[in-house]
Amino acid sequence: VEEIRSDGVLYFSDPDWQEAGNTQSPRQDVERAYWVDLQGTVHPIDSAPGKPNGIILSADESKLYIGGNTVMRFDVAADGSVSNGQPFGTGGSDGFGMDCAGNLYTTSGEHVLVFSPEGTQIKRIQVGSGVTNVAFGGPERKTLYITKMQPPSLYSVELNVPGFPY
């Protein structure tokens, strides 16, 4: 999963989910999240959650959210570096979305949980086990698409607020 800041700084996560059943090559030793500066140097984000997966910037690019077995929020400096990782919301997450009000949409087990920018849960969308990701779309970006792994499914929910970017 990746996220690119408006100036080109890159953030990505590297979990080992896709290695299940790998018998052809060595398995990776470490699961991490990283950021890549404008010179192309890769920097690990050492305090990222375990099994890092979802990753998203806030609309103003001052915060970076990383999901995994927990959700963490980091401050983002002008050079793209991250610091001050703090737990955010409750539970872990696979995929993320953000609306134009700065609310974070996280996939967690059977639900899509929606958290205010302060970390307060403001909504729970019941979907069923295996929820994997969310994305905003539609003509006004007010349709939240939700993917589910088992059985493979795609759901949509119409919202009153558009997703970011809008």
Side-chain angles (χ1 to χ4, degrees):
V1 178
E2 68 181 46
E3 180 77 352
I4 302 173
R5 199 166 74 166
S6 60
D7 65 359
V9 171
L10 171 70
Y11 302 90
F12 67 96
S13 59
D14 187 25
D16 70 357
W17 300 117
Q18 288 75 26
E19 289 194 347
N22 174 13
T23 60
Q24 301 301 310
S25 62
R27 294 182 63 90
Q28 69 190 64
D29 293 331
V30 178
E31 298 176 274
R32 284 193 174 142
Y34 301 88
W35 70 280
V36 182
D37 64 30
L38 296 176
Q39 290 72 43
T41 303
V42 178
H43 307 272
I45 302 172
D46 292 324
S47 53
K51 296 284 185 196
N53 201 15
I55 195 163
I56 194 168
L57 285 163
S58 61
D60 66 3
E61 300 183 337
S62 69
K63 304 291 182 194
L64 179 71
Y65 300 86
I66 303 174
N69 56 15
T70 62
V71 176
M72 301 283 291
R73 180 175 63 191
F74 297 84
D75 296 328
V76 178
D79 68 353
S81 61
V82 298
S83 63
N84 194 29
Q86 300 291 319
F88 183 84
T90 58
S93 183
D94 188 353
F96 287 139
M98 185 162 297
D99 67 25
C100 67
N103 299 314
L104 183 68
Y105 293 68
T106 70
T107 59
S108 183
E110 297 184 353
H111 310 97
V112 174
L113 303 176
V114 184
F115 295 96
S116 72
E118 296 76 35
T120 303
Q121 184 180 318
I122 56 176
K123 187 152 191 84
R124 175 188 300 251
I125 302 168
Q126 178 71 34
V127 182
S129 64
V131 177
T132 56
N133 220 329
V134 292
F136 282 90
E140 296 179 337
R141 296 189 56 82
K142 291 184 178 180
T143 304
L144 181 69
Y145 292 98
I146 306 166
T147 59
K148 186 176 159 194
M149 191 179 318
Q150 294 298 329
S153 307
L154 176 65
Y155 298 89
S156 65
V157 177
E158 295 300 318
L159 303 175
N160 294 326
V161 61
F164 182 80
Y166 55 93

